[in-house]
PDB file of all heavy atoms in Angstrom:
ATOM      1  N   THR A 333      -3.162  14.313  -4.246  1.00 90.00           N
ATOM      2  CA  THR A 333      -2.906  14.531  -5.664  1.00 90.00           C
ATOM      3  C   THR A 333      -2.369  13.254  -6.315  1.00 90.00           C
ATOM      4  O   THR A 333      -1.448  12.637  -5.796  1.00 90.00           O
ATOM      5  CB  THR A 333      -1.873  15.663  -5.862  1.00 90.00           C
ATOM      6  OG1 THR A 333      -2.355  16.831  -5.215  1.00 90.00           O
ATOM      7  CG2 THR A 333      -1.644  15.947  -7.331  1.00 90.00           C
ATOM      8  N   GLY A 334      -2.965  12.872  -7.420  1.00 90.00           N
ATOM      9  CA  GLY A 334      -2.485  11.744  -8.199  1.00 90.00           C
ATOM     10  C   GLY A 334      -3.037  10.394  -7.784  1.00 90.00           C
ATOM     11  O   GLY A 334      -2.811   9.401  -8.486  1.00 90.00           O
ATOM     12  N   ILE A 335      -3.758  10.322  -6.685  1.00 94.00           N
ATOM     13  CA  ILE A 335      -4.278   9.020  -6.245  1.00 94.00           C
ATOM     14  C   ILE A 335      -5.262   8.459  -7.275  1.00 94.00           C
ATOM     15  O   ILE A 335      -5.357   7.245  -7.450  1.00 94.00           O
ATOM     16  CB  ILE A 335      -4.893   9.079  -4.818  1.00 94.00           C
ATOM     17  CG1 ILE A 335      -5.120   7.659  -4.263  1.00 94.00           C
ATOM     18  CG2 ILE A 335      -6.159   9.888  -4.782  1.00 94.00           C
ATOM     19  CD1 ILE A 335      -3.876   6.860  -4.012  1.00 94.00           C
ATOM     20  N   ASP A 336      -5.951   9.337  -8.007  1.00 92.00           N
ATOM     21  CA  ASP A 336      -6.885   8.881  -9.042  1.00 92.00           C
ATOM     22  C   ASP A 336      -6.173   8.274 -10.248  1.00 92.00           C
ATOM     23  O   ASP A 336      -6.802   7.652 -11.097  1.00 92.00           O
ATOM     24  CB  ASP A 336      -7.803  10.022  -9.478  1.00 92.00           C
ATOM     25  CG  ASP A 336      -7.038  11.205 -10.047  1.00 92.00           C
ATOM     26  OD1 ASP A 336      -5.884  11.453  -9.632  1.00 92.00           O
ATOM     27  OD2 ASP A 336      -7.597  11.887 -10.913  1.00 92.00           O
ATOM     28  N   LYS A 337      -4.858   8.398 -10.314  1.00 93.00           N
ATOM     29  CA  LYS A 337      -4.087   7.803 -11.412  1.00 93.00           C
ATOM     30  C   LYS A 337      -3.673   6.363 -11.087  1.00 93.00           C
ATOM     31  O   LYS A 337      -3.208   5.641 -11.959  1.00 93.00           O
ATOM     32  CB  LYS A 337      -2.843   8.635 -11.694  1.00 93.00           C
ATOM     33  CG  LYS A 337      -3.160  10.090 -12.009  1.00 93.00           C
ATOM     34  CD  LYS A 337      -2.494  10.543 -13.255  1.00 93.00           C
ATOM     35  CE  LYS A 337      -2.689  11.996 -13.587  1.00 93.00           C
ATOM     36  NZ  LYS A 337      -4.001  12.526 -13.531  1.00 93.00           N
ATOM     37  N   VAL A 338      -3.837   5.949  -9.810  1.00 95.00           N
ATOM     38  CA  VAL A 338      -3.422   4.608  -9.390  1.00 95.00           C
ATOM     39  C   VAL A 338      -4.548   3.815  -8.731  1.00 95.00           C
ATOM     40  O   VAL A 338      -4.376   2.642  -8.412  1.00 95.00           O
ATOM     41  CB  VAL A 338      -2.185   4.665  -8.455  1.00 95.00           C
ATOM     42  CG1 VAL A 338      -0.957   5.174  -9.210  1.00 95.00           C
ATOM     43  CG2 VAL A 338      -2.464   5.515  -7.225  1.00 95.00           C
ATOM     44  N   ALA A 339      -5.694   4.445  -8.499  1.00 94.00           N
ATOM     45  CA  ALA A 339      -6.821   3.774  -7.842  1.00 94.00           C
ATOM     46  C   ALA A 339      -8.129   4.219  -8.473  1.00 94.00           C
ATOM     47  O   ALA A 339      -8.219   5.294  -9.067  1.00 94.00           O
ATOM     48  CB  ALA A 339      -6.827   4.091  -6.347  1.00 94.00           C
ATOM     49  N   THR A 340      -9.137   3.367  -8.308  1.00 92.00           N
ATOM     50  CA  THR A 340     -10.461   3.661  -8.851  1.00 92.00           C
ATOM     51  C   THR A 340     -11.514   3.027  -7.934  1.00 92.00           C
ATOM     52  O   THR A 340     -11.175   2.289  -7.009  1.00 92.00           O
ATOM     53  CB  THR A 340     -10.599   3.133 -10.303  1.00 92.00           C
ATOM     54  OG1 THR A 340     -11.815   3.608 -10.874  1.00 92.00           O
ATOM     55  CG2 THR A 340     -10.557   1.619 -10.380  1.00 92.00           C
ATOM     56  N   GLY A 341     -12.765   3.326  -8.172  1.00 91.00           N
ATOM     57  CA  GLY A 341     -13.859   2.687  -7.460  1.00 91.00           C
ATOM     58  C   GLY A 341     -13.808   2.866  -5.954  1.00 91.00           C
ATOM     59  O   GLY A 341     -13.455   3.934  -5.447  1.00 91.00           O
ATOM     60  N   SER A 342     -14.161   1.793  -5.236  1.00 90.00           N
ATOM     61  CA  SER A 342     -14.256   1.875  -3.778  1.00 90.00           C
ATOM     62  C   SER A 342     -12.908   2.146  -3.123  1.00 90.00           C
ATOM     63  O   SER A 342     -12.848   2.804  -2.088  1.00 90.00           O
ATOM     64  CB  SER A 342     -14.883   0.599  -3.213  1.00 90.00           C
ATOM     65  OG  SER A 342     -14.061  -0.520  -3.470  1.00 90.00           O
ATOM     66  N   THR A 343     -11.828   1.657  -3.716  1.00 92.00           N
ATOM     67  CA  THR A 343     -10.504   1.904  -3.136  1.00 92.00           C
ATOM     68  C   THR A 343     -10.150   3.385  -3.219  1.00 92.00           C
ATOM     69  O   THR A 343      -9.657   3.959  -2.246  1.00 92.00           O
ATOM     70  CB  THR A 343      -9.427   1.041  -3.829  1.00 92.00           C
ATOM     71  OG1 THR A 343      -9.710  -0.319  -3.527  1.00 92.00           O
ATOM     72  CG2 THR A 343      -8.041   1.383  -3.354  1.00 92.00           C
ATOM     73  N   LEU A 344     -10.422   4.015  -4.342  1.00 93.00           N
ATOM     74  CA  LEU A 344     -10.161   5.448  -4.479  1.00 93.00           C
ATOM     75  C   LEU A 344     -10.953   6.223  -3.435  1.00 93.00           C
ATOM     76  O   LEU A 344     -10.401   7.081  -2.730  1.00 93.00           O
ATOM     77  CB  LEU A 344     -10.528   5.919  -5.887  1.00 93.00           C
ATOM     78  CG  LEU A 344     -10.415   7.422  -6.153  1.00 93.00           C
ATOM     79  CD1 LEU A 344      -8.992   7.920  -5.939  1.00 93.00           C
ATOM     80  CD2 LEU A 344     -10.900   7.748  -7.556  1.00 93.00           C
ATOM     81  N   GLN A 345     -12.221   5.917  -3.290  1.00 94.00           N
ATOM     82  CA  GLN A 345     -13.056   6.621  -2.313  1.00 94.00           C
ATOM     83  C   GLN A 345     -12.584   6.363  -0.895  1.00 94.00           C
ATOM     84  O   GLN A 345     -12.551   7.275  -0.060  1.00 94.00           O
ATOM     85  CB  GLN A 345     -14.527   6.224  -2.479  1.00 94.00           C
ATOM     86  CG  GLN A 345     -15.467   7.185  -1.794  1.00 94.00           C
ATOM     87  CD  GLN A 345     -15.294   8.626  -2.274  1.00 94.00           C
ATOM     88  OE1 GLN A 345     -15.343   8.906  -3.462  1.00 94.00           O
ATOM     89  NE2 GLN A 345     -15.061   9.537  -1.354  1.00 94.00           N
TER      90      GLN A 345
END
Side-chain angles (χ1 to χ4, degrees):
T333 304
I335 193 66
D336 60 330
K337 304 230 184 312
V338 294
T340 189
S342 64
T343 294
L344 175 60
Q345 196 57 53

